[in-house]
Structure formats: structure tokens, C-alpha cells
Amino acid sequence: MGETRGPVARERYPEAVRELAYQLWAFVADRKVHRVPQAARSPEWAELVNGQEFPPLDTLYDWVKRFGWNQRADRELHAIAPDLRLRTQQTVAMGTAEAAAYLRQVLGDEEVDPKIRTQAAVALLDRGGFSPVGTRGGLGEVDAPRAILAAIGDLTGLDDTALAELELKQRETTRMRKDEARMARRG
């Protein structure tokens, strides 16, 4: 006979198995249920799993919802590192400005292979909102770069800090426009 699934199956697992499944889901499997069984089979977790039968995916999906695993993981991560998200956002913002500055360097360096310079140009255009094919993911024409250039003018000569500040302002403007559009659709 096949494996028991659904409500009967989820109740047959001891609390320790459910807790281990949560730990794997939250901190090893990147909150992806389909990765939990693979994580449970990995050598570093073998001692804790200790040959126990592991729940099927539908039970794990049920536990994520029923026991509020997303909310729990958010609380636990915030308790461990309260400013983790802020620091990550700051790091990404600064890295973005550094990457753009590097791409501009590559683009302007006559000694770099023309193919590499072309790739740098395409990357800059793409990150700036110009799609090489004219549209991106069904969103239609991407006109953000024209608005940015009209608002801030020439970017040459700006240092990394100024570029990062401009990027953060643009992200905030974009977020506000998306929020406004969402509100307009609702109502």
C-alpha cells in the first residue's frame, strides 16, 4: 500500500521531527519545502535525522502554513540579527553603485576587448531600464532611464556615494509609483 498522506500522516510524526523539519526549512533549505528532504539526507544533518522517516512534501507544506513557519522564521532571524536586512540592503546598494562604476570603467577602456565592452554596455543599458529588445517581461516600453536622465542629467564625474544616493532616491520614487499604481487598480 502507498504512503499515508494528509491529516493522518502529519499527526504521526513526533514533535522532534517537525522541529527538525522547521530548522532545515528555515535555515538550510532557504524556506523551500522541496529542498527539505534533500537537506535531511545531507551528511551534516544525518546524526539528527538518525534514520527517522521524514514527512512527505504535502505534510511539510501543511506545517509551513498551519504552524506559521514564515512568521516564526522572521521573528527568529530578527532576534538573531535585528539589523540584518538593513545591512544587506545597504551592502547591495553600495555594491550596485560599485558595479555600475566598474562597468563604466570597462566601457571606457579602449584596451579592453570590444566584445567585453559591448557586454558592459548591454549590462549598463539593461540595469538602467533600457532593454536590448525594447520590452522586458511584458512590461511594455521601459522609459525610466529617460525620466532619470531628464531629472538628474549627466552622471559622469559623480563619485560612488553620489551614485548610491541617486540610486536610493530612484528606488524610492519607483516604489512610490508602484504603490500608487497598485492603489489605483484597487480603487
Side-chain angles (χ1 to χ4, degrees):
M1 224 174 182
E3 170 178 288
T4 307
R5 296 189 174 265
V8 175
R10 75 172 164 254
E11 301 305 330
R12 69 185 176 137
Y13 296 98
E15 175 64 28
V17 171
R18 188 170 64 222
E19 181 59 23
L20 176 60
Y22 164 75
Q23 296 292 328
L24 292 171
W25 172 84
F27 303 110
V28 177
D30 195 30
R31 298 188 189 190
K32 293 184 175 34
V33 169
H34 69 277
R35 292 184 181 170
V36 173
Q38 179 183 353
R41 291 188 301 270
S42 68
E44 59 265 38
W45 292 92
E47 185 177 323
L48 286 174
V49 173
N50 198 23
Q52 298 176 73
E53 180 185 358
F54 220 70
L57 292 179
D58 59 342
T59 299
L60 295 173
Y61 280 111
D62 177 65
W63 288 353
V64 168
K65 289 179 185 170
R66 188 158 57 115
F67 297 110
W69 283 5
N70 277 302
Q71 296 81 2
R72 178 182 169 191
D74 286 344
R75 283 191 311 272
E76 290 177 359
L77 283 172
H78 182 72
I80 293 168
D83 63 344
L84 180 64
R85 282 192 176 147
L86 177 62
R87 282 189 286 141
T88 301
Q89 288 170 341
Q90 290 169 342
T91 299
V92 169
M94 292 308 298
T96 301
E98 291 169 6
Y102 176 76
L103 286 172
R104 287 191 354 250
Q105 278 182 327
V106 169
L107 188 58
D109 187 345
E110 298 286 331
E111 294 183 23
V112 173
D113 182 316
K115 288 181 182 180
I116 302 295
R117 291 177 64 210
T118 300
Q119 290 172 346
V122 169
L124 273 171
L125 289 169
D126 182 62
R127 276 29 165 229
F130 289 101
S131 174
V133 294
T135 62
R136 200 186 295 163
L139 297 176
E141 290 296 321
V142 181
D143 62 357
R146 286 184 283 281
I148 294 169
L149 292 175
I152 61 175
D154 189 9
L155 298 176
T156 54
L158 295 179
D159 64 11
D160 291 345
T161 303
L163 287 171
E165 288 172 4
L166 285 172
E167 180 186 6
L168 290 174
K169 285 179 189 175
Q170 183 57 37
R171 286 178 185 264
E172 180 62 21
T173 301
T174 301
R175 187 191 60 75
M176 288 175 19
R177 286 183 184 154
K178 285 180 180 178
D179 289 347
E180 288 170 1
R182 214 175 289 127
M183 295 298 282
R185 283 193 300 269
R186 289 183 187 162

